[in-house]
Amino acid sequence: MNGSGATPGAARRYRETIGTITESMTRLRAEDGERAKELAERLVELREEMERAVEQEALTVLGTALQWDSALDLLWHEQWMTLSPIPRPDPATSPKDLEYLEAVVAQRYEALGEAIRRRALLGRR
């Protein structure tokens, strides 16, 4: 025995245990650093995606408003029809459907224009 009362084997096991803990902590810090780096990169990607979505929303709102105004212009001569301001968006509609909804708006606008052209060709009744 040494002067501290511990056996040489106990001191060695203590050093080995502390060494193992130190290695584990070092490995965990490195893994945490890598994960933090990945998360920071993902955060940048998500911010860019959000900025694109905000820009797309603004363009969609503007485009839809312009098409609505054009449709009102096409229908202005229809005295019997009550024209109203643009309706509010349907809250049940998913933002993921935005491209589909833009296509539907364009399709309906084209159908309205075609119906008015056909009616003009046939003459008003």
Side-chain angles (χ1 to χ4, degrees), residues 65-118:
L66 290 172
Q67 283 187 312
W68 182 263
D69 288 343
S70 293
L72 292 179
D73 287 345
L74 290 174
L75 296 170
W76 189 253
H77 64 278
E78 301 294 334
Q79 303 297 328
W80 60 272
M81 186 176 280
T82 303
L83 303 178
S84 63
I86 191 168
R88 300 201 44 83
D90 182 357
T93 304
S94 168
K96 293 180 181 180
D97 297 336
L98 193 56
E99 289 179 9
Y100 167 75
L101 294 172
E102 288 174 348
V104 168
V105 168
Q107 181 183 36
R108 301 281 164 78
Y109 177 77
E110 289 301 319
L112 173 65
E114 183 61 29
I116 289 173
R117 282 188 290 278
R118 274 186 283 155

Side-chain angles (χ1 to χ4, degrees), residues 1 5 8 15 25 30 36 46 64 66 78 87 89 117-118 120 124:
M1 282 188 147
R15 283 191 302 273
M25 287 177 54
L46 290 172
T64 302
L66 290 172
E78 301 294 334
R117 282 188 290 278
R118 274 186 283 155
R124 290 192 175 178

Side-chain angles (χ1 to χ4, degrees), residues 17-78:
T17 302
I18 293 300
T20 301
I21 291 171
T22 302
E23 288 174 20
S24 296
M25 287 177 54
T26 302
R27 188 176 64 249
L28 284 173
R29 282 189 185 125
E31 289 172 2
D32 287 348
E34 285 299 314
R35 183 68 178 141
K37 183 179 173 182
E38 291 170 5
L39 290 172
E41 290 171 358
R42 181 67 178 133
L43 183 60
V44 169
E45 292 170 3
L46 290 172
R47 283 186 180 149
E48 290 171 354
E49 189 176 319
M50 188 171 68
E51 289 171 3
R52 284 191 302 271
V54 167
E55 184 178 316
Q56 182 61 43
E57 177 192 23
L59 290 172
T60 298
V61 167
L62 176 63
T64 302
L66 290 172
Q67 283 187 312
W68 182 263
D69 288 343
S70 293
L72 292 179
D73 287 345
L74 290 174
L75 296 170
W76 189 253
H77 64 278
E78 301 294 334

